[in-house]
Amino acid sequence: MRIIVIGAGAAGMMAAVTAARAGADVTLIERNTRPGMKLNITGKGRGNLTNDCDLQTLIANTPGNGRFLYSAFSGFGPADTMAFFESLGIPVKVERGNRVFPVSDRAMDLSAALERELRHLGVRLLHDKVVNIDCTDGRVTGVTGAGGTYSCDRVILAAGGQSYPRTGSDGSGYALASALGHTIVPTRPSLVPLLGGGDVPKRLEGLSLRNISIEITYKGKSLYTDFGEMVFTANGVSGPVILSASAHVARDQKFPCTLSIDLKPALDEQTLDRRVLRDFEENLNRDFANALHKLLPSKLIPVIVERSGIAPDRKVHEITRAERLSFVHLIKHFTLEITSAGPFREAIITAGGVSVREIDPKTMASKLVNGLYFAGEIMDVDAYTGGFNLQIAWSTGVRAGSAAAERND
């Protein structure tokens, strides 16, 4: 069985390894000079390769057609991913939030291990840009690249999405699928910073908030809640909880929406009020703005004071109970209006892509073209941050590689 895999990212390399292990003659075509460019920057370069969770948690963290991936996840899940890389000599570790990283904290070790395995299996790696998938009578016969034509029996299209275009993910794979009659669900940046908030983000740029909770609401309806970390940017907000929230608001373009930050989620308002009252009693004769350093990050204090409506030089003993309760409520509900999501160049992944209605979930095979398979981000599947999207790549790569290598026709 002669198989061509288009795209040497995480999904493409995994598909090539799987197909070659099954005995297929595999050629992997990559437009970049080196494979795994996007993989090398995942997890801020540390390589968050999966999330150590069960099947239901995996699907729950995949808002973009998670049920479609049930079979792929069942066949090759997080435990299989960890065992696979450890078998290639890459020991892994589990960190907070069940995020899994190589012990070395080097994403490049993952791509290097995959490259070594590809060479060991005799997979040919070609540097070319595929411009067409060739078909005759509804069946794949090969591919045409800028540098030549290559014949084959099966094609696995794993060309990625549109996020991080400098790594080669420019969306060109969608045109290849569309030319064969596949529907492309409109693409959107996902796992992307959210923009808005007026001048507040600029004033707080660089400030990280940990152990906070957030809620995103749209027209009074709650869209997403989370607990964890976030950071203010020059024109909005980012960080783990924000990136995951973007998977919801960017998918349906629900803007403007409201981001409400609970700065003290471990305390209800009554408990927080008692805490604030103790702080005030220790600082009765100090200015309001100078009495909050035990409660809030220094950079946040001027913004909170301004929002409270209490003059910064007001003496603490002059603050009324009603003003204090309003201040407590503000700490539990610090809001920003979000007006849009960031662009593709800032997105970690792409939402949208080849419609999963036209793909067999058990084999990743095209329902429209014989001999065509899909793997990874090119499909309309997307998940939250935390290793879930790379697990999609590994699981679908294994499923596509295995199915394509079977001699069933």
Side-chain angles (χ1 to χ4, degrees):
M1 186 67 66
R2 298 171 303 160
I3 297 175
I4 288 177
V5 181
I6 302 172
M13 287 193 285
M14 182 60 92
V17 165
T18 303
R21 285 182 172 182
D25 179 354
V26 182
T27 299
L28 180 57
I29 302 179
E30 169 58 44
R31 61 180 298 180
N32 292 319
T33 54
R34 290 292 303 275
M37 285 188 66
K38 187 175 178 183
L39 176 59
N40 289 341
I41 61 174
T42 59
K44 297 181 179 178
R46 295 180 58 217
N48 183 190
L49 66 148
T50 188
N51 192 284
D52 186 17
C53 64
D54 61 23
L55 175 62
Q56 294 306 319
T57 302
L58 195 53
I59 292 173
N61 280 275
T62 308
N65 292 310
R67 299 302 304 178
F68 166 80
L69 295 167
Y70 183 91
S71 182
F73 284 157
S74 298
F76 194 88
D80 302 302
T81 296
M82 291 185 280
F84 172 81
F85 279 102
E86 293 205 319
S87 75
L88 297 184
I90 307 296
V92 302
K93 59 184 177 179
V94 181
E95 297 188 357
R96 186 172 51 82
N98 294 324
R99 290 169 165 83
V100 181
F101 295 88
V103 169
S104 65
D105 285 329
R106 285 172 46 89
M108 287 185 176
D109 289 350
L110 303 175
S111 58
L114 286 165
E115 281 190 74
R116 286 194 299 270
E117 184 66 5
L118 290 168
R119 288 194 298 270
H120 171 71
L121 293 167
V123 174
R124 289 178 296 278
L125 181 60
L126 299 181
H127 177 218
D128 200 352
K129 177 179 172 59
V130 174
V131 296
N132 190 63
I133 297 174
D134 305 323
C135 294
T136 300
D137 297 327
R139 173 173 291 279
V140 165
T141 58
V143 304
T144 299
T149 299
Y150 315 94
S151 61
C152 65
D153 304 300
R154 308 275 170 84
V155 167
I156 300 173
L157 184 52
Q162 287 177 262
S163 57
Y164 289 130
R166 67 182 182 277
T167 66
S169 296
D170 62 354
S172 58
Y174 301 132
L176 298 176
S178 179
L180 297 176
H182 274 281
T183 302
I184 308 301
V185 176
T187 58
R188 304 155 314 276
S190 190
L191 298 191
V192 67
L194 296 176
L195 309 180
D199 69 338
V200 170
K202 181 64 176 176
R203 294 169 64 185
L204 299 177
E205 184 178 3
L207 174 63
S208 293
L209 299 177
R210 299 184 178 183
N211 300 318
I212 52 89
S213 66
I214 66 162
E215 181 178 23
I216 301 278
T217 56
Y218 176 72
K219 294 184 177 179
K221 180 181 179 181
S222 180
L223 297 180
Y224 183 76
T225 60
D226 205 350
F227 174 87
E229 301 178 21
M230 62 170 284
V231 62
F232 290 93
T233 66
N235 52 6
V237 286
S238 188
V241 297
I242 300 299
L243 297 177
S244 289
S246 75
H248 285 268
V249 296
R251 173 171 283 272
D252 299 317
Q253 290 296 299
K254 292 185 175 178
F255 300 108
C257 59
T258 300
L259 166 65
S260 179
I261 306 167
D262 184 346
L263 298 165
K264 299 292 180 181
L267 307 176
D268 60 27
E269 290 202 19
Q270 286 185 332
T271 306
L272 180 57
D273 182 44
R274 289 195 293 269
R275 159 74 193 278
V276 170
L277 187 58
R278 286 197 304 271
D279 286 356
F280 280 9
E281 288 173 346
E282 293 173 3
N283 296 276
L284 288 174
N285 295 314
R286 301 190 72 177
D287 291 348
F288 175 52
N290 295 329
L292 304 176
H293 292 281
K294 287 185 178 181
L295 188 67
L296 299 167
S298 297
K299 198 169 188 177
L300 183 59
I301 290 173
V303 175
I304 288 284
V305 169
E306 184 178 294
R307 284 272 186 102
S308 76
I310 302 171
D313 58 354
R314 181 105 165 265
K315 297 302 179 184
V316 169
H317 69 263
E318 296 175 348
I319 296 173
T320 67
R321 180 177 183 274
E323 288 173 325
R324 189 186 74 242
L325 292 176
S326 178
F327 171 67
V328 166
H329 183 79
L330 172 62
I331 293 173
K332 298 286 289 181
H333 304 87
F334 183 74
T335 62
L336 298 172
E337 183 182 78
I338 301 300
T339 54
S340 65
F344 268 116
R345 67 176 182 273
E346 297 178 7
I348 295 176
I349 62 161
T350 303
V354 178
S355 173
V356 297
R357 294 182 179 181
E358 299 165 356
I359 302 170
D360 184 338
K362 294 182 178 180
T363 62
M364 299 295 124
S366 166
K367 294 179 179 179
L368 308 182
V369 180
N370 289 328
L372 176 64
Y373 299 78
F374 297 94
E377 194 178 350
I378 193 167
M379 297 183 286
D380 181 22
V381 290
D382 61 277
Y384 297 142
T385 185
F388 301 106
N389 287 287
L390 268 181
Q391 186 58 51
I392 292 175
W394 310 133
S395 296
T396 58
V398 166
R399 187 51 55 104
S402 176
E406 290 182 3
R407 296 181 178 276
N408 55 7
D409 56 3

